[in-house]
C-alpha cells in the first residue's frame, strides 16, 4: 500500500525536528490570537504519549510548546490575577490593586499555614524533562500584556473528568466514614467522581463547564500542573502495552492578551479588547482489537468506548470532506461523542488542526495500521482554517518602548545625581545644594546660653533662603521642561496625525488585501471544486469506458455466438435440405413404384374380368349349341380348346419390416433396465450399435445417432414400444447434446374374433345344433389370382381354399 502525507519522519528523528514541523506554527498562531489543535493518533503502543510528553533529557511536544510560549512573553506578562476567568469561557480584567488583594488572599495568607511538603518519585522523574534547544517567537506584539492559563481534562467512557480537581480523585474515590475502600457496603457519604458537562458560550464555542484553570507564569509551573493531572489519568496494563492510555487526555493552554493604554504603562480596562486564544494538545487513546488484547470487564468497556469515539471522529471527518469537495450539506454528527463535540469549533474552522500519526512497525498491527493510515490520508483533504479578526485598538504603536525608555532615563539620572529633584535642576542648583553648610553645634552649656540659639536661628534662616532659591530654580527648570514637553507634544500630535493617516491607508490596504485574499480563497475553492468535479467526471468517464469495454466485449461475444449459430443453422439447413431432398426422392420413387404396382393391379383385374366374361360368353354359347344339336355340341367341344395354361408365377417373398433407424452411421442404443422383451417378429436391427442402460458422455462422443426404447401401456391395455430417435451434436463447452427428430412405434394387438355369417336358413341354433355348414371368406372365395408386381404374364387361377369338413 502507498500513502501520501505532508511530512514523513523516520525512526531516528529527534523531538526537536518533529516540533519544528508540527507544533511550532501552532504556537506562533497562538501568540497571534489564533486557535490550534494538535492530535496524536495511532494504534495502541505506537508511541503517542511519548511523542506528546517525551522523556527525561528528550522533551516532547508539550514541554517544548510551553517553553516557546514563556520564552516569547516572559518580559510581557501581566501581573498575576489581573486576568480572571469568568466561568463562561471568557476573561475579565481587573486593576492592579484588586489583583494584589486577590493574590494576598489566595497565595500570601495560605502560605503562613503549616505545610507538609512531600515530593514523590514520579515528580522527581518528570522534573528531568528539559528543553535542550529553547526557541522563541520574534514577531510578537509588544504593545500588549499576556497571561497563560492551563487546564487538563480526560474523556473516559464518553464522560469528561477534570484531572486538576482535588476534591474527587477519579482513580481512588473518597470513602468518608469508612476505613477501607474494599468494604462490601458502600456508605452514604461516598463521593463519586463528578463528570463535567459541555457548554456553549456566547460565541458558540464549546468549553468544559466548571473546569479548573490555573494561571502559570513559567514553564516549570505549567509542567507541575500537567504532571499533577497526569498522575490522575487512567492507564492500565494490557497484553499489548504495559501502560496503555484508557482515555483521551486534553491539555488546554489559553493565552489572554490585552493592549496597553496610550501611556504604555497600564492595561486597558475594557473587556472588549481582550483576545483569548487556545491551543489544545490531545493525546488520543490507541485503537485496539479485543481479540488481541484479551480485554475483559472494565477493560473491554473502555476499549469499546475508545473505538466508538475514534469511529465517530472518522465519520465527522469523512462528512466534512464530502461537504467541501462534493458541495453536499450533510449534518456532521458531532454530538455522538464527547471527543468530537468538544472540538466542534476547530472542525468548523475556528483554528488550525494538525494530526501526528504514530506508526508501529510490528507485523501484528498491520491491519490496524492500514486503517489508521487510510483515515489520516483522508483528513488531509479537509480544510478547516479560516481567518480570525483581531480587534483594532487605534493607539500609537511603540507605547511600551517609550515608557520603558523614560523610566530608564529617570533611573539613570537618579543614579548619577542622587535624588529625584536633581533630575530636573541645572548645575547651579546642584552647586547650591552641595554648598549648604553643615549644622552648627547644638550643644547647650547652660540655661542662659543665647549664642547657640542665635547661631541656629541664623543657620536656619540661611538654609531657608537657599531653599527658596532652589525652589525658584526648580520652578524655572520645570517651566522650561514644560515648554519643551509642549513642543514635543505638538510634534507628537503632528506625528499622530501622520500616523493616523498612514494607519487609515494601512487599513484600506489591509481591506484591499483581505478582499483580494477572500477572492483568492473563493477562486481557490472554486478551483478545488472544479478539480473535484473534474476528478469525479474522470472517474465516471473511466467507469463508463470500462462499461463500454465490457459491453463491446459482450457484443463481440454475442456477434461471434450469433455467427456460430448462423453457421450452425446454415449447416442444419443444408443437412435438412439434403434430408428433405433425399426423402423427396425416396418418396417419389416409392410413389412411382406404388403407382406402377397399382396400375398393374388394375390392369390385372381388368384382364381377369375380361377373361371371366369370355369364359361366361363361351359357356353361354356352348349351352345354346348343345340345346340345338348334341352333335354340334360334341363338334363344338372338339373345336373349343381349353384356354392356354398360364405359367405359374412364383410367390413374392415376404419382406420383413426393418426399422428406419438402420444406416451406416454409428448409433447409441439406449435401453433402460426396466425394458420388457416383446418377442415380436419385427425388431429394430442396427449394426455396430453401442448398447447402454444409461447414456454417458464418452459413449455419446463416439456416436452420431441416438435411439431410446420407451415402453408404455396403450389405452386398450396392450404394450406399445416407441423408438425415439435423435441426432448427437457437440456443444461449445466440449460436451454432447441430443436433438430428437423421429419416433417409431411397435404395437402388439390381439386379433379380432372371426366374423361368421349364415349361408342358408339351416344355421346353427342357440342350443348348439347345426343344420348346415358355416362358411367364411376363405370358404366362399374359392378363387384367388396371384401375380408378381410388374409382370406382363397373365394371372393364373388357383384354388387356395380347402373344403371344410362338415360337422357330424
Amino acid at each position: 500500500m502507498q500513502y501520501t502525507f505532508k511530512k514523513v519522519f523516520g525512526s531516528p528523528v529527534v523531538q526537536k525536528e518533529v516540533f519544528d514541523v508540527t507544533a511550532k506554527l501552532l504556537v506562533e498562531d497562538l501568540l497571534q490570537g489564533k486557535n490550534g489543535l494538535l492530535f496524536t493518533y495511532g494504534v495502541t503502543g505506537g508511541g503517542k504519549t511519548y511523542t506528546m510528553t517525551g522523556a527525561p533529557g528528550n522533551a516532547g511536544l508539550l514541554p517544548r510548546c510551553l517553553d516557546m510560549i514563556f520564552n516569547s512573553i516572559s518580559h510581557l506578562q501581566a501581573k498575576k490575577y489581573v486576568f480572571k476567568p469568568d466561568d463562561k469561557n471568557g476573561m475579565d480584567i481587573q486593576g492592579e490593586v484588586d489583583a494584589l488583594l486577590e493574590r494576598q488572599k489566595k497565595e500570601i495568607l495560605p502560605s503562613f499555614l503549616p505545610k507538609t511538603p512531600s515530593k514523590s518519585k514520579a515528580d522527581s522523574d518528570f522534573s528531568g524533562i528539559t528543553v535542550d534547544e529553547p526557541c522563541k517567537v520574534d514577531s510578537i506584539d509588544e504593545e500588549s500584556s499576556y497571561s497563560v492559563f492551563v487546564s487538563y481534562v480526560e474523556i473516559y467512557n464518553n464522560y469528561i473528568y477534570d484531572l486538576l480537581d482535588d476534591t474527587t480523585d477519579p482513580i481512588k474515590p473518597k470513602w468518608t466514614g469508612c476505613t477501607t475502600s474494599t468494604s462490601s457496603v458502600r456508605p452514604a457519604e461516598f463521593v463519586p467522581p463528578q463528570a463535567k458537562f459541555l457548554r456553549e458560550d456566547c460565541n458558540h464555542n464549546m468549553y468544559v463547564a466548571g473546569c479548573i484553570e490555573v494561571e502559570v507564569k513559567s514553564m516549570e509551573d505549567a509542567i507541575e500542573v500537567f504532571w499533577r493531572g497526569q498522575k490522575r489519568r487512567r492507564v492500565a496494563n494490557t497484553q499489548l502495552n504495559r501502560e496503555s492510555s484508557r482515555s483521551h487526555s486534553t491539555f488546554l493552554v489559553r493565552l489572554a492578551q490585552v493592549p496597553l493604554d496610550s501611556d504604555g504603562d497600564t492595561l486597558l480596562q475594557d473587556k472588549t479588547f481582550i483576545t483569548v486564544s487556545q491551543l489544545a494538545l490531545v493525546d488520543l487513546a490507541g485503537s485496539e482489537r479485543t481479540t488481541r488484547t484479551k480485554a475483559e470487564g472494565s477493560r473491554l468497556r473502555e476499549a469499546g468506548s475508545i473505538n466508538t469515539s475514534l469511529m465517530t471522529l472518522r465519520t465527522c471527518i469523512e462528512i466534512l470532506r464530502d461537504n467541501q469537495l462534493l458541495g453536499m450539506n450533510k449534518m456532521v454528527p458531532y454530538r455522538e461523542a464527547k471527543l468530537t463535540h468538544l472540538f466542534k469549533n476547530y472542525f468548523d474552522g475556528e483554528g488550525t488542526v494538525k494530526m501526528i500519526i504514530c506508526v508501529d512497525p510490528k507485523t501484528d498491527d498491520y491491519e490496524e495500521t492500514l486503517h489508521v493510515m487510510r483515515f489520516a490520508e483522508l483528513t488531509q483533504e479537509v480544510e478547516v482554517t479560516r481567518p480570525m479578526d483581531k480587534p483594532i485598538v487605534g493607539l500609537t504603536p511603540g507605547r511600551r518602548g517609550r515608557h520603558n525608555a523614560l523610566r530608564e532615563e529617570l533611573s539613570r539620572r537618579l543614579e548619577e545625581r542622587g535624588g529625584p529633584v536633581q533630575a530636573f535642576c541645572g548645575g547651579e542648583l546642584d552647586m547650591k545644594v552641595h554648598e549648604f553648610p553643615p549644622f552648627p553645634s547644638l550643644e547647650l552649656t547652660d540655661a542662659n546660653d543665647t549664642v547657640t540659639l542665635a547661631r541656629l536661628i541664623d543657620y536656619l534662616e540661611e538654609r531657608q533662603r537657599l531653599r527658596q532659591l532652589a525652589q525658584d530654580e526648580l520652578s524655572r527648570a520645570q517651566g522650561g521642561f514644560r515648554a519643551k514637553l509642549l513642543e514635543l507634544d505638538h510634534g507628537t500630535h503632528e506625528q499622530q496625525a501622520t500616523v493616523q493617516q498612514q494607519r487609515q491607508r494601512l487599513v484600506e490596504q489591509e481591506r484591499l488585501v483581505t478582499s483580494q485574499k477572500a477572492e483568492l480563497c473563493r477562486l481557490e475553492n472554486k478551483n478545488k471544486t472544479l478539480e473535484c468535479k473534474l476528478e469525479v467526471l474522470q472517474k465516471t468517464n473511466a467507469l463508463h469506458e470500462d462499461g463500454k469495454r465490457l459491453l463491446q466485449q459482450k457484443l463481440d461475444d454475442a456477434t461471434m455466438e450469433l455467427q456460430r449459430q448462423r453457421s450452425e443453422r446454415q449447416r442444419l439447413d443444408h443437412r435438412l435440405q439434403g434430408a428433405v431432398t433425399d426423402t423427396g426422392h425416396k418418396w417419389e420413387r416409392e410413389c412411382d413404384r406404388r403407382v406402377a404396382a397399382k396400375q398393374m393391379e388394375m390392369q390385372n383385374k381388368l384382364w381377369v374380368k375380361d377373361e371371366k366374361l369370355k369364359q361366361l360368353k363361351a359357356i353361354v354359347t356352348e349351352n345354346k349349341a348343345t340345346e340345338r344339336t348334341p352333335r354340334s355340341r360334341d363338334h363344338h367341344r372338339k373345336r373349343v380348346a381349353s384356354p392356354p395354361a398360364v405359367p405359374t408365377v412364383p410367390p413374392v417373398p415376404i419382406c420383413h419390416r426393418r426399422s428406419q433407424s438402420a444406416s451406416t452411421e454409428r448409433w447409441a442404443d439406449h435401453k433402460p433396465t426396466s425394458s420388457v422383451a416383446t418377442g415380436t417378429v419385427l425388431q429394430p436391427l442396427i449394426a455396430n450399435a453401442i448398447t447402454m442402460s444409461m447414456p454417458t458422455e464418452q459413449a455419446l462422443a463416439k456416436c452420431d445417432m441416438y435411439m431410446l426404447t420407451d415402453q408404455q401401456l396403450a389405452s386398450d391395455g396392450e404394450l406399445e414400444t416407441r423408438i425415439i430417435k435423435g441426432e448427437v451434436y457437440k456443444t461449445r463447452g466440449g460436451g454432447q447434446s441430443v436433438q430428437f427428430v423421429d419416433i417409431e412405434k411397435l404395437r402388439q394387438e390381439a386379433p379380432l374374433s372371426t366374423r361368421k355369417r349364415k349361408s342358408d336358413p339351416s344355421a346353427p341354433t342357440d342350443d348348439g345344433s347345426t343344420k348346415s355348414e358355416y362358411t367364411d371368406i376363405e370358404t366362399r372365395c374359392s378363387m384367388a389370382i396371384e401375380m408378381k408386381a410388374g409382370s406382363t404374364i397373365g394371372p393364373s387361377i388357383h384354388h387356395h381354399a380347402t373344403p371344410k369338413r362338415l360337422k357330424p
Side-chain angles (χ1 to χ4, degrees):
M1 304 297 294
Q2 182 176 357
Y3 301 96
T4 304
F5 297 96
K6 298 293 181 62
K7 179 68 176 179
V8 178
F9 300 101
S11 56
V13 69
V14 295
Q15 295 275 20
K16 179 66 169 58
E17 183 179 353
V18 178
F19 171 77
D20 291 339
V21 175
T22 58
K24 187 175 182 179
L25 295 178
L26 295 178
V27 176
E28 293 178 356
D29 291 343
L30 176 70
L31 297 175
Q32 297 298 328
K34 300 177 182 179
N35 297 332
L37 174 62
L38 180 62
F39 282 110
T40 55
Y41 181 69
V43 299
T44 180
K48 300 180 295 299
T49 304
Y50 173 78
T51 303
M52 185 61 68
T53 60
N58 191 11
L61 298 180
L62 189 145
R64 292 181 183 274
C65 289
L66 295 174
D67 180 70
M68 184 175 180
I69 292 172
F70 287 108
N71 289 339
S72 303
I73 65 170
S74 59
H75 61 288
L76 303 177
Q77 293 190 69
K79 294 183 179 180
K80 205 169 185 179
Y81 302 110
V82 171
F83 291 96
K84 184 178 180 181
D86 59 357
D87 296 332
K88 295 181 181 179
N89 204 32
M91 285 288 176
D92 291 331
I93 188 171
Q94 57 186 356
E96 294 185 358
V97 177
D98 297 334
L100 180 59
L101 293 176
E102 188 170 357
R103 179 173 176 272
Q104 292 176 353
K105 180 180 179 181
K106 292 184 177 181
E107 294 183 359
I108 299 178
L109 294 179
S111 64
F112 294 101
L113 299 176
K115 296 182 180 179
T116 56
S118 62
K119 192 172 186 181
S120 63
K121 182 179 182 299
D123 295 334
S124 60
D125 292 342
F126 193 76
S127 61
I129 297 181
T130 57
V131 179
D132 50 356
E133 299 179 8
C135 58
K136 59 181 296 186
V137 179
D138 297 329
S139 59
I140 189 171
D141 185 12
E142 297 185 356
E143 306 302 325
S144 301
S145 292
Y146 302 87
S147 288
V148 179
F149 295 83
V150 295
S151 59
Y152 199 14
V153 297
E154 71 170 352
I155 302 175
Y156 175 73
N157 286 341
N158 207 25
Y159 288 98
I160 300 178
Y161 297 98
D162 186 3
L163 297 178
L164 302 181
D165 190 0
D166 295 332
T167 58
T168 57
D169 193 343
I171 305 301
K172 298 179 180 179
K174 292 186 177 181
W175 293 79
T176 14
C178 185
T179 57
T180 174
S181 60
T182 59
S183 176
S184 60
V185 180
R186 175 178 293 181
E189 295 82 1
F190 170 71
V191 182
Q194 296 296 324
K196 303 298 180 181
F197 297 96
L198 288 177
R199 295 289 184 265
E200 191 175 22
D201 61 5
C202 58
N203 296 324
H204 305 289
N205 295 324
M206 303 307 300
Y207 69 98
V208 181
C211 177
I212 296 177
E213 285 187 292
V214 180
E215 184 178 6
V216 292
K217 292 299 180 181
S218 65
M219 171 189 168
E220 290 75 14
D221 296 343
I223 291 181
E224 181 182 357
V225 173
F226 168 75
W227 192 249
R228 191 175 68 191
Q230 186 74 4
K231 291 187 296 184
R232 295 191 177 94
R233 188 183 176 187
R234 301 174 194 257
V235 294
N237 184 12
T238 63
Q239 292 194 5
L240 300 181
N241 192 358
R242 185 172 59 87
E243 294 183 358
S244 176
S245 301
R246 313 310 296 169
S247 63
H248 307 299
S249 65
T250 303
F251 190 76
L252 299 174
V253 180
R254 290 215 301 167
L255 181 68
Q257 53 180 313
V258 67
L260 300 174
D261 58 2
S262 58
D263 295 334
D265 186 18
T266 58
L267 303 179
L268 289 176
Q269 299 298 314
D270 192 353
K271 185 178 178 180
T272 58
F273 291 106
I274 300 177
T275 302
V276 180
S277 55
Q278 179 173 285
L279 174 62
L281 303 175
V282 183
D283 181 13
L284 295 177
S287 59
E288 59 185 35
R289 294 188 178 181
T290 56
T291 55
R292 296 184 57 211
T293 58
K294 308 298 181 182
E296 296 179 354
S298 60
R299 300 287 88 81
L300 181 61
R301 180 185 177 189
E302 292 166 357
S305 299
I306 292 171
N307 294 334
T308 302
S309 59
L310 294 178
M311 183 59 66
T312 304
L313 175 62
R314 177 169 185 169
T315 303
C316 295
I317 294 295
E318 289 177 351
I319 294 178
L320 283 173
R321 172 181 174 274
D322 294 340
N323 291 342
Q324 292 179 6
L325 298 182
L326 304 179
M328 306 174 67
N329 193 18
K330 292 183 180 180
M331 185 183 68
V332 185
Y334 292 120
R335 294 179 178 269
E336 291 186 2
K338 290 292 192 300
L339 176 65
T340 54
H341 195 192
L342 177 60
F343 301 112
K344 177 179 75 71
N345 309 104
Y346 292 93
F347 298 127
D348 287 341
E350 297 291 341
T352 305
V353 181
K354 290 192 176 183
M355 182 180 294
I356 299 176
I357 307 302
C358 300
V359 180
D360 193 343
K362 291 190 300 185
T363 56
D364 297 337
D365 298 333
Y366 177 75
E367 295 294 336
E368 293 87 342
T369 302
L370 285 184
H371 289 290
V372 170
M373 302 281 278
R374 191 177 299 113
F375 167 66
E377 188 180 35
L378 178 69
T379 57
Q380 298 181 98
E381 302 178 4
V382 181
E383 293 289 340
V384 296
T385 306
R386 61 186 179 189
M388 297 180 62
D389 297 332
K390 190 174 180 180
I392 299 176
V393 180
L395 298 177
T396 306
R399 301 182 303 277
R400 183 188 292 271
R402 290 196 298 271
H403 179 71
N404 292 337
L406 180 60
R407 293 182 61 181
E408 290 176 0
E409 181 65 22
L410 291 177
S411 300
R412 185 181 63 81
R413 290 191 179 186
L414 285 175
E415 291 178 358
E416 290 179 354
R417 301 181 181 180
V421 180
Q422 296 174 359
F424 303 96
C425 298
E428 184 180 356
L429 182 60
D430 296 338
M431 293 175 61
K432 291 182 179 180
V433 171
H434 288 290
E435 289 177 356
F436 279 175
F439 279 92
S441 178
L442 301 180
E443 183 180 358
L444 296 176
T445 57
D446 54 6
N448 297 322
D449 189 0
T450 59
V451 178
T452 303
L453 292 177
R455 190 184 304 120
L456 178 61
I457 290 172
D458 296 338
Y459 174 79
L460 291 178
E461 288 177 355
E462 182 65 21
R463 192 175 183 87
Q464 182 66 27
R465 186 180 64 79
L466 295 176
R467 180 183 177 84
Q468 187 64 36
L469 292 175
Q471 288 180 354
D472 295 341
E473 187 66 23
L474 177 61
S475 298
R476 288 193 299 270
Q478 287 178 350
F481 184 72
R482 187 177 292 107
K484 292 180 180 180
L485 285 179
L486 290 176
E487 293 178 0
L488 182 61
D489 187 47
H490 180 68
T492 303
H493 284 301
E494 293 179 355
Q495 292 178 358
Q496 287 180 354
T498 306
V499 169
Q500 189 68 23
Q501 294 178 359
Q502 293 178 357
R503 184 179 293 109
Q504 291 178 358
R505 294 178 183 176
L506 182 60
V507 169
E508 293 177 358
Q509 294 293 331
E510 288 180 353
R511 291 177 181 175
L512 180 60
V513 170
T514 303
S515 61
Q516 292 178 355
K517 286 184 178 179
E519 182 68 17
L520 182 61
C521 292
R522 186 184 66 81
L523 293 177
E524 287 179 353
N525 293 331
K526 185 177 180 180
N527 187 22
K528 290 181 180 179
T529 304
L530 293 177
E531 287 179 355
C532 293
K533 290 183 179 179
L534 179 61
E535 184 179 357
V536 171
L537 291 177
Q538 289 177 352
K539 291 181 179 179
T540 306
N541 187 22
L543 292 177
H544 290 169
E545 289 293 337
D546 294 340
K548 179 181 177 182
R549 194 179 302 107
L550 292 177
L551 292 177
Q552 185 66 32
Q553 185 177 359
K554 290 182 180 179
L555 180 60
D556 295 340
D557 294 342
T559 305
M560 294 178 62
E561 181 67 19
L562 183 61
Q563 292 178 356
R564 189 191 64 78
Q565 292 180 359
R566 188 176 299 167
S567 61
E568 185 72 18
R569 185 177 297 174
Q570 291 177 358
R571 187 176 65 82
L572 291 177
D573 290 342
H574 292 327
R575 291 183 61 182
L576 288 176
Q577 288 178 3
V580 168
T581 304
D582 295 342
T583 305
H585 293 164
K586 178 180 177 182
W587 282 108
E588 285 179 359
R589 292 192 298 270
E590 183 68 20
C591 289
D592 293 341
R593 186 184 63 77
R594 290 184 181 183
V595 168
K598 196 68 175 177
Q599 289 178 356
M600 185 62 66
E601 182 182 358
M602 297 302 294
Q603 289 178 1
N604 291 336
K605 286 182 179 182
L606 183 61
W607 186 79
V608 170
K609 287 181 180 180
D610 291 340
E611 289 296 327
K612 287 181 179 181
L613 288 175
K614 288 180 181 180
Q615 290 178 6
L616 288 176
K617 186 176 179 180
I619 292 171
V620 170
T621 305
E622 184 179 0
N623 290 335
K624 287 182 179 181
T626 304
E627 289 178 358
R628 273 184 266 156
T629 58
R631 185 177 179 179
S632 60
R633 183 182 59 186
D634 296 337
H635 180 72
H636 179 71
R637 184 178 298 171
K638 292 179 182 180
R639 291 180 58 189
V640 175
S642 61
V646 180
T648 303
V649 179
V652 179
I654 299 175
C655 296
H656 296 282
R657 178 180 179 274
R658 189 180 181 188
S659 174
Q660 296 180 5
S661 303
S663 64
T664 59
E665 297 176 336
R666 190 72 179 270
W667 283 79
D669 188 5
H670 179 195
K671 289 184 179 181
T673 55
S674 59
S675 299
V676 178
T678 57
T680 58
V681 177
L682 299 179
Q683 292 289 337
L685 179 60
I686 302 175
N688 298 328
I690 299 176
T691 306
M692 66 185 76
S693 61
M694 181 65 66
T696 60
E697 184 179 353
Q698 292 79 8
L700 291 177
K702 301 176 182 179
C703 301
D704 299 323
M705 305 296 290
Y706 171 83
M707 60 181 284
L708 170 64
T709 303
D710 180 32
Q711 293 182 338
Q712 295 180 356
L713 287 176
S715 60
D716 55 356
E718 298 294 338
L719 183 65
E720 182 182 52
T721 303
R722 298 192 305 168
I723 299 176
I724 304 173
K725 300 185 296 182
E727 297 180 357
V728 180
Y729 295 99
K730 293 183 179 181
T731 62
R732 186 177 181 181
Q736 309 294 330
S737 64
V738 177
Q739 182 178 359
F740 296 102
V741 296
D742 194 7
I743 299 178
E744 295 185 6
K745 295 183 180 180
L746 181 64
R747 183 175 179 182
Q748 292 177 266
E749 296 181 354
L752 299 174
S753 61
T754 305
R755 184 180 178 184
K756 296 182 180 181
R757 54 185 296 183
K758 297 180 181 180
S759 60
D760 54 4
S762 60
T765 60
D766 296 335
D767 55 0
S769 61
T770 58
K771 298 180 179 180
S772 64
E773 64 177 349
Y774 286 90
T775 60
D776 52 14
I777 295 176
E778 296 179 357
T779 305
R780 289 185 289 106
C781 299
S782 58
M783 296 289 294
I785 300 175
E786 291 186 3
M787 65 178 295
K788 189 174 183 180
S791 175
T792 57
I793 304 176
S796 62
I797 301 172
H798 298 277
H799 186 78
H800 294 281
T802 57
K804 287 191 175 184
R805 296 174 60 185
L806 297 177
K807 294 182 181 181

